[in-house]
Amino acid sequence: MATDADEPNKLNFTFGVIADIQYANTDNGYNGAHTMRRYYRNSLHLLCSAVRGWNEEVNTPSFILQLGDIIDGCNLQLKSSDHALQVVLDEFSKCSSPVHHILGNHELYNFDRELLLKSALNSTCLGNKDSSIETWSKPNDSEAFYGYHFSPFPKFRFIITDSYDLSILGRKYSSKKHRDSMEILKSYNKNEDFNSSKGLNGLEKRFVAFNGGFSKEQLDWLNKILTFSDRNQEKVTIAAHVPIHPQSANSHGIAWNYDEILSVLHAHTSVVCFLAGHDHSGAYCLDCHGIHHLTFEGVIETPPESHAFATIYVYDDRMIVKGRGRIQDRILHYKKI
């Protein structure tokens, strides 16, 4: 057990993490492969338990990271997308901590990107209360990505990234990024259904429609922030919906251009951790540059008698993950520079 979390004199701050809630007011079902049970209604009860757990913490979390897929794509067929989203946001509103939302594929099944950026899921609005939030924003640019960064404590920075910046989901068919994304998929995936990885081998299986990637524009933006953080000796955690390391998810569930974003991260000393969801089984690896890649288990595939959320305790030399239910306790030591 990670007893170091009981040393408040060394603790800088804490934050909560939850992933893949995928709420829908419908009966239980299965994932696409029919190998994992999905508990659509119960996911709301597990979120309620998570919020209650964070609110009862001795040290109130500075913020919560919601790693994407807040409601399930089936809400579109049920014609309940707006209602389902509001039900989940109402639960989050009971949380004592501000919530940072990340966009996943299921948000983009339910809503187009322009609508999402006008909704409560666009948490750049937290900048009205937190002056540390710096937004990459081009409000009239339909090709823009969703990204921003903030510093909850001196010498620590968090960057929210958009792993569906390149995607055929959520963008207008006429947009350049939609056309570019379609070309990427077609060059690897010859299936009529782009959600199928039939005929693809190894890491090629990532070229499916439910994954996405990072544009050059976003990678340049990320590189600029990390250069600043290097100079200022900050410790940076990056968050996205889709994992970016082949050992931190199955081959069906990593970003299309994971190698490009890894190259950016590996060029900087400031990056200590990458947090993601998407792969509901969860995974962890420490890469060759000392970056922790932690993929969180999904609420949607968590049985009613269990949990799937965490509180992370941040110290000068490590982060301690205190997991609930399916999520394992971990101590993540920062690399020595």
Side-chain angles (χ1 to χ4, degrees):
M1 182 61 200
T3 55
D4 291 34
D6 297 323
E7 299 177 41
N9 59 314
K10 295 182 180 180
L11 180 65
N12 292 325
F13 64 97
T14 70
F15 66 97
V17 185
I18 194 166
D20 296 271
I21 299 165
Q22 291 183 222
Y23 167 71
N25 184 17
T26 191
D27 294 340
N28 294 343
Y30 288 91
N31 64 352
H34 287 265
T35 56
M36 292 294 292
R37 192 78 162 153
R38 291 190 170 178
Y39 305 90
Y40 295 105
R41 290 193 183 98
N42 189 67
S43 66
L44 189 68
H45 298 300
L46 294 188
L47 171 60
C48 181
S49 295
V51 169
R52 187 165 57 247
W54 289 319
N55 287 346
E56 292 172 353
E57 293 263 354
V58 173
N59 299 289
T60 302
S62 296
F63 58 91
I64 308 300
L65 286 180
Q66 187 276 114
L67 293 175
D69 285 3
I70 194 170
I71 62 173
D72 195 85
C74 69
N75 283 290
L76 185 64
Q77 287 73 44
L78 295 170
K79 301 187 185 316
S80 58
S81 300
D82 291 314
H83 179 70
L85 178 58
Q86 192 56 55
V87 167
V88 180
L89 289 175
D90 286 347
E91 285 301 322
F92 271 117
S93 72
K94 300 171 185 175
C95 189
S96 302
S97 309
V99 182
H100 293 269
H101 296 289
I102 288 170
L103 303 184
N105 49 310
H106 281 261
E107 283 85 353
L108 295 168
Y109 296 150
N110 282 281
F111 307 102
D112 69 34
R113 178 174 283 268
E114 289 182 19
L115 188 59
L116 283 171
L117 293 180
K118 294 175 183 176
S119 76
L121 290 181
N122 184 346
S123 42
T124 59
C125 64
L126 294 174
N128 297 330
K129 298 180 180 179
D130 182 354
S131 60
S132 79
I133 292 179
E134 295 186 31
T135 307
W136 187 95
S137 179
K138 292 185 178 179
N140 298 318
D141 184 359
S142 62
E143 302 283 354
F145 62 86
Y146 171 67
Y148 63 94
H149 58 104
F150 62 99
S151 176
F153 192 86
K155 300 298 182 181
F156 289 88
R157 187 166 303 278
F158 286 73
I159 306 176
I160 304 301
T161 63
D162 186 346
S163 51
Y164 290 91
D165 185 12
L166 295 178
S167 172
I168 63 170
L169 304 175
R171 291 198 185 276
K172 289 183 169 55
Y173 293 160
S174 59
S175 72
K176 183 179 184 302
K177 283 186 176 175
H178 187 280
R179 293 196 303 272
D180 291 347
S181 300
M182 186 63 77
E183 286 304 311
I184 291 170
L185 275 179
K186 285 182 175 179
S187 65
Y188 290 94
N189 193 328
K190 308 305 179 184
N191 295 297
E192 185 175 340
D193 177 7
F194 285 132
N195 280 319
S196 172
S197 61
K198 184 179 179 181
L200 299 177
N201 298 309
L203 290 175
E204 285 185 348
K205 292 179 180 179
R206 71 188 187 275
F207 291 105
V208 287
F210 55 78
N211 295 328
F214 305 84
S215 67
K216 183 180 184 303
E217 184 178 36
Q218 186 176 179
L219 294 178
D220 289 345
W221 168 80
L222 181 58
N223 184 64
K224 184 177 179 180
I225 299 167
L226 295 177
T227 299
F228 171 86
S229 293
D230 291 346
R231 284 200 308 265
N232 288 275
Q233 298 182 307
E234 294 181 333
K235 295 178 177 66
V236 178
T237 295
I238 300 169
H241 183 64
V242 182
I244 62 165
H245 197 287
Q247 294 176 27
S248 66
N250 66 52
S251 56
H252 291 85
I254 59 174
W256 292 345
N257 56 339
Y258 76 88
D259 50 341
E260 293 180 8
I261 188 172
L262 277 178
S263 293
V264 173
L265 270 53
H266 290 165
H268 296 278
T269 56
S270 52
V271 184
V272 297
C273 189
F274 191 98
L275 303 176
H278 197 47
D279 184 338
H280 300 167
S281 297
Y284 166 79
C285 78
L286 177 65
D287 75 20
C288 59
H289 288 256
I291 299 172
H292 299 278
H293 295 262
L294 184 53
T295 302
F296 281 81
E297 288 81 353
V299 171
I300 184 61
E301 291 176 4
T302 300
E305 66 274 9
S306 188
H307 292 288
F309 70 98
T311 302
I312 300 184
Y313 299 76
V314 182
Y315 298 82
D316 285 341
D317 63 343
R318 69 207 183 279
M319 294 195 294
I320 297 178
V321 181
K322 169 58 181 173
R324 307 290 183 90
R326 296 174 65 205
I327 296 176
Q328 183 178 334
D329 290 354
R330 298 181 188 275
I331 300 178
L332 311 178
H333 290 281
Y334 308 140
K335 57 191 173 185
K336 289 183 170 59
I337 301 172

